Amino acid sequence: MLRYVKYSTLEYALEYARLGYPVLPLQPGEKRPYGRLVPSGLKNATHDPEALHRWWQAAPGAGVGILPPPEVLVLDFDDPQAWDELRAEHPELAEAPRQRTPRGGVHVFLKLPQGVIGSLSTSARKLPGLDLRGMGKAYLAAAPTELPTGAYSWEVPLLPPAELPLAPEGLLLRLLPEPPPPPPREVGVGASPRRLTALLGAYAEGVRTAQPGTRHNTLIGYARAAGGLVPHGLAPQEAEEALVAAALEAGLPEAEARAAVRWGLEVGRSRPINLGDSYAYQTPTYRGRVYKRLRGWV
C-alpha cells in the first residue's frame, strides 16, 4: 500500500481501485464529491483506471474518496478516546487497517461475516463517538486528501476487502439491532422436544411475517435465538431449514437467508437460552417494560 513515499493523488486513486475500492474525486480541500466530474456522487465511484486518469487530469487538486464495498465495515471515530476505549475492549482491532483523519479521528477497516452483510445502517449510532461507514453505502475521504485542518494518512496500510480482519463478534452484537420479542406464553416452559419445536415454529413465524426493511435483521435475531436452543437439543439442520424456508416466504433470496441463519445459529449456540422462564428470550430492557406493564406502572 502507498505509505512511505510521496505519490501523486492519481497514483493513490489507482492503487485504491486496484485493491478493490471504487474511487471518486472530491472538491479540493473538502470532503464533498467533485460535482462537475461525478454529478451522482458516490454512485459514480469506479475502479476504471481510464475514468480515474480523466478525472485527475481535469482536476489535479481533487481529493480522493473511496467507497468500501458491501462486505467492508469502516468504524469512524471522531473522538480518539472512543477509539482507545474500544481498542482496549477488542485488542485485535489494533491490527486492522486504519487511517488517521486531519482532526485526529480514526477510520478502521474490517470485513463483515457473510451473514451480517446488509444488516448494519450507517445512520445508526450504537456506541458513543462511533459512526459506521462503508458497506457500499457511505464513502470516506482517504489519503492523501488534504483539508484546511490537515491531511489523511495511513497508520496501518489498507488491504483488499477479502484480506481484512473480521469484525469482532462481540462488537457486531452490540452494533446489530436488539433481538425481536419472544414467542407467546403458549409455548410453555422447559426443554422438551415439543417445546423446542414450538419455539422454532414461533421464530419461523416471526421471520415469515417480517416487514420489508426489517426482514434481514429479524432473521438474524431469530436465528440467534434458535442457536440458543441447540444446546438444549434442537437440531441445527432443522432450525436452519425452518428459518430459511420462512425467510424465502418473506421474500429474501436463499443465499442471503442461509448465510444469515448460519451466522445467527453459530453465535446463538454459545449463548444458550434459559428455558426455565417462558420470557427468557427477552433483553433486560424488554423484560423491564413487560414487568412494568403487568404491574400497571406504564
Side-chain angles (χ1 to χ4, degrees):
M1 178 58 207
L2 305 168
R3 187 180 183 187
Y4 300 110
V5 182
K6 179 65 175 178
Y7 289 93
S8 71
T9 304
L10 173 59
E11 287 173 310
Y12 270 91
L14 291 169
E15 177 69 0
Y16 291 135
R18 186 191 67 79
L19 288 173
Y21 297 84
V23 175
L24 68 157
L26 306 179
Q27 291 280 1
E30 301 181 25
K31 293 189 287 185
R32 293 186 298 120
Y34 203 118
R36 180 169 61 83
L37 300 177
V38 284
S40 298
L42 61 81
K43 293 181 180 179
N44 294 132
T46 182
H47 302 97
D48 182 11
E50 292 186 7
L52 301 183
H53 276 96
R54 287 196 307 270
W55 286 341
W56 269 275
Q57 285 173 358
V64 182
I66 59 175
L67 178 63
E71 68 273 25
V72 177
L73 168 66
V74 180
L75 306 179
D76 180 1
F77 297 91
D78 286 333
D79 179 2
Q81 183 177 348
W83 157 239
D84 291 338
E85 291 174 356
L86 195 65
R87 182 173 53 181
E89 294 179 36
H90 302 281
E92 62 270 37
L93 291 178
E95 305 301 319
R98 68 176 184 269
Q99 70 171 354
R100 186 69 63 169
T101 72
R103 292 187 178 275
V106 178
H107 294 158
V108 182
F109 286 67
L110 302 166
K111 181 172 63 175
L112 290 172
Q114 188 66 31
V116 179
I117 294 173
S119 299
L120 298 174
S121 169
T122 57
S123 62
R125 191 159 192 171
K126 290 283 187 176
L127 300 176
L130 171 63
D131 290 310
L132 306 185
R133 296 288 182 260
M135 302 179 288
K137 303 173 183 177
Y139 73 90
L140 302 101
T145 301
E146 294 187 6
L147 303 180
T149 51
Y152 291 82
S153 61
W154 289 100
E155 293 185 334
V156 179
L158 186 61
L159 296 171
E163 298 177 22
L164 293 173
L166 278 172
E169 181 181 290
L171 174 60
L172 285 178
L173 293 178
R174 295 171 67 185
L175 297 177
L176 286 167
E178 286 191 10
R185 286 183 180 274
E186 285 74 13
V187 298
V189 295
S192 68
R194 180 178 179 181
R195 191 193 182 205
L196 294 177
T197 300
L199 283 166
L200 179 59
Y203 298 160
E205 182 61 22
V207 171
R208 189 177 296 111
T209 57
Q211 297 301 305
T214 69
R215 293 174 299 184
H216 190 99
N217 284 334
T218 299
L219 177 59
I220 287 179
Y222 279 124
R224 286 164 56 188
L229 300 178
V230 170
H232 296 290
L234 180 66
Q237 188 63 31
E238 177 186 358
E240 178 178 334
E241 295 309 320
L243 293 173
V244 168
L248 293 178
E249 288 189 47
L252 289 177
E254 182 174 359
E256 175 186 337
R258 200 167 292 280
V261 169
R262 287 177 177 173
W263 186 83
L265 286 173
E266 186 63 29
V267 170
R269 290 176 74 160
S270 63
R271 297 166 174 79
I273 293 175
N274 177 8
L275 294 181
D277 178 1
S278 62
Y279 281 95
Y281 180 42
Q282 291 171 357
T283 63
T285 301
Y286 188 93
R287 285 199 296 271
R289 290 199 299 266
V290 171
Y291 183 69
K292 289 180 180 179
R293 286 197 191 100
L294 293 176
R295 292 295 299 264
W297 294 349
V298 293

